[in-house]
Amino acid sequence: MRQDDEQLWSQWMAQAQDGDGTAYQRLLGAIVPRLRAIVGKRVTDPDRAEDVVQEVLLSIHKNRHTYDPALPFGPWMGTIAQRRTMDWLRKHYRQDGQEVLVDEYPETFLAGGANEVEQDVLAFDDVDRLHQALDRLPPGQRQAVELLKLKEMSLKEASEASGMSVASLKVAMHRALKSLRAEMAEEIEP
Amino acid sequence: MKRPAKNMAKNMANNLTDNLIADLAGDLPPVKRLAHPAKRLAGWMAVALPVSLFLGAVVEQQHVTLAMERIRDPRILLELTAILLTAIAAGYAALCSTQPGRFSKAWALPVAPFVLWLSLIGENCWRLFEQIGADQFSLAPHWTCYPSIAATGFAPALVMVVLLKRGALLTPTMTVALGTLAAAALGAVGLRLYHPPDATAMLMLWQLIATLTFLGLASLVSGYMSKRA
């Protein structure tokens, strides 16, 4: 069963390399459970694990030209997933080393639901804060948000305007949204 | 109260993954597949070696007949074989490391030829030490060697960076280390053929430093160019 899966995945990836978006969507959807299993072995927090799975998907997308259809698909995908998971763990441990754990937050918002998960979505309505958060993004990510979301350009138009490839724009946009979401959530949570 | 919030967060994360997949698959452009590492290695040698030899001869102001004469010496021939094998093995390993799932143990390939090369350099140093004595023997850098090192190392480093950047840099430290060794070794071929025969450990160290400099500069140029492409 697993070998059949891998043959099918290999075939879909070869088609995706030729520009077949339908085969690619099928492939990415089919490999997500396997990626979750690989990532989940090292990252036990499900939310964080899903973040890493998304990073792996971006990495697979960015490096899809390196897959050789003559070779099995599993080791190619597994290597990328393992490397990206290790990268995430290294980054995570570095960040954790600089954070201070406290028993109680020094201050909090009065409203009871202020720290609920859905509040970070509402925070996007605060234009001033959003602009400040945008200013703190790396230039490539900021440009992607400005062109695709603020100026509402298509990917092709934004690619022509910025000189970035469509794939790079997609990756930059995804990372920018993640950074913005995290930053706006940080501003709500003390 | 906690469980619904957790489930909602999980659903949001899963939705983000689904959206990401849809985004990535939409307007999917075809890509040019990365060639087999052996083919890329052959391209690297075909471009970088002649340029390195030519620039080495120009800077050293030597004629190709000197190189032909040196090749007849079995000792130099053995050294050149070790150097060339190091370049080929390290280059192949570096290129394999940028293609996930391909020959993960390739990093071990250059170990044997590199050890042989180092031992031949060590033996050269020892012979020189015995000939001229401790008073004359110096490990100080020879600045006059630097132009030759730069001339022979430039093309192998530049072409290697371009090739490595085409692949997936999942293990950058290992890839850069192998690429540096490959570029330094290929540059050493021209150096051994045209430079006066004082290939000490210090000369090799300077060559590695020069190659690292080239790799850094070439990486900046290549990064700028790929951004513009």
Side-chain angles (χ1 to χ4, degrees):
Chain A
M1 178 67 186
R2 182 169 279 196
Q3 205 174 358
D4 288 348
D5 277 350
E6 287 208 3
Q7 276 176 2
L8 198 59
W9 293 350
S10 174
Q11 198 184 321
W12 282 342
M13 182 48 113
Q15 289 168 346
Q17 287 175 324
D18 294 333
D20 184 343
T22 313
Y24 194 45
Q25 189 155 5
R26 267 191 220 135
L27 171 74
L28 296 183
I31 64 173
V32 162
R34 182 80 69 88
L35 295 181
R36 284 185 183 133
I38 295 171
V39 173
K41 278 182 192 164
R42 291 180 188 272
V43 185
T44 46
D45 179 341
D47 291 343
R48 288 179 161 186
E50 199 61 23
D51 278 354
V52 184
V53 167
Q54 288 165 16
E55 285 295 322
V56 175
L57 285 170
L58 288 171
S59 199
I60 283 176
H61 181 71
K62 206 173 161 194
N63 294 306
R64 65 192 189 282
H65 67 287
T66 65
Y67 175 64
D68 180 352
L71 295 174
F73 183 80
W76 181 84
M77 178 190 72
T79 306
I80 293 177
Q82 277 160 10
R83 293 309 315 176
R84 283 292 165 253
T85 308
M86 295 305 290
D87 289 347
W88 185 88
L89 284 171
R90 262 196 296 273
K91 199 174 151 191
H92 174 65
Y93 284 130
R94 263 203 305 269
Q95 277 175 355
D96 274 7
Q98 291 168 356
E99 284 173 2
V100 180
L101 290 175
V102 290
D103 291 335
E104 285 179 21
Y105 290 128
E107 59 180 80
T108 185
F109 287 91
L110 287 174
N115 295 323
E116 293 292 326
V117 177
E118 57 268 43
Q119 285 297 312
D120 68 355
V121 180
L122 294 176
F124 277 81
D125 289 343
D126 188 332
V127 178
D128 287 341
R129 275 188 186 171
L130 186 59
H131 276 290
Q132 282 168 11
L134 266 175
D135 287 342
R136 285 194 287 271
L137 287 177
Q141 291 181 17
R142 192 169 58 236
Q143 195 179 21
V145 176
E146 281 168 0
L147 296 177
L148 293 171
K149 295 291 172 192
L150 303 182
K151 293 185 180 170
E152 296 184 336
M153 285 183 176
S154 69
L155 277 166
K156 204 178 166 192
E157 287 166 346
S159 170
E160 282 166 7
S162 64
M164 290 165 79
S165 68
V166 170
S168 302
L169 275 170
K170 284 179 182 177
V171 172
M173 189 63 214
H174 178 76
R175 291 199 168 133
L177 284 179
K178 263 172 92 171
S179 304
L180 285 175
R181 192 169 285 113
E183 194 146 333
M184 301 305 272
E186 268 172 25
E187 286 182 13
I188 288 175
E189 291 174 20
Chain B
M1 273 304 276
K2 263 188 173 179
R3 183 153 289 189
K6 229 177 183 181
N7 284 342
M8 197 163 75
K10 194 178 173 188
N11 286 340
M12 273 174 70
N14 288 350
N15 284 344
L16 271 177
T17 306
D18 292 341
N19 291 344
L20 175 64
I21 289 174
D23 278 352
L24 294 177
D27 297 329
L28 188 73
V31 287
K32 192 173 177 231
R33 287 187 191 112
L34 200 64
H36 192 283
K39 202 173 167 186
R40 297 164 73 212
L41 181 79
W44 175 61
M45 305 247 338
V47 175
L49 188 57
V51 176
S52 167
L53 290 176
F54 172 74
L55 291 178
V58 169
V59 170
E60 286 286 338
Q61 296 177 325
Q62 298 285 6
H63 198 263
V64 74
T65 46
L66 176 76
M68 299 310 289
E69 273 174 33
R70 283 193 174 167
I71 285 177
R72 288 199 200 104
D73 180 343
R75 166 85 201 184
I76 294 181
L77 196 61
L78 179 65
E79 272 183 48
L80 280 172
T81 308
I83 294 170
L84 213 52
L85 281 176
T86 305
I88 292 170
Y92 184 73
L95 295 171
C96 277
S97 74
T98 62
Q99 203 161 16
R102 188 185 285 280
F103 196 16
S104 57
K105 301 278 184 287
W107 60 267
L109 289 175
V111 172
F114 187 45
V115 168
L116 176 64
W117 181 23
L118 283 180
S119 59
L120 289 169
I121 288 175
E123 199 204 342
N124 265 355
C125 284
W126 179 248
R127 273 204 229 163
L128 194 67
F129 181 80
E130 280 192 328
Q131 271 175 21
I132 63 175
D135 298 340
Q136 300 288 318
F137 192 79
S138 164
L139 280 176
H142 295 190
W143 294 104
T144 48
C145 298
Y146 205 80
S148 307
I149 294 170
T152 53
F154 176 72
L158 182 73
V159 182
M160 180 53 78
V161 166
V162 172
L163 290 174
L164 293 180
K165 280 188 78 80
R166 265 280 293 155
L169 281 177
L170 296 176
T171 50
T173 310
M174 190 175 75
T175 301
V176 169
L178 288 166
T180 305
L181 178 62
L186 201 64
V189 174
L191 210 59
R192 197 70 193 92
L193 285 174
Y194 296 116
H195 197 67
D198 58 352
T200 62
M202 189 51 74
L203 182 63
M204 202 193 77
L205 180 69
W206 276 98
Q207 194 184 351
L208 282 172
I209 293 169
T211 309
L212 269 173
T213 313
F214 287 140
L215 277 170
L217 286 174
S219 180
L220 285 175
V221 172
S222 166
Y224 174 76
M225 285 170 72
S226 64
K227 231 182 232 175
R228 302 296 305 162

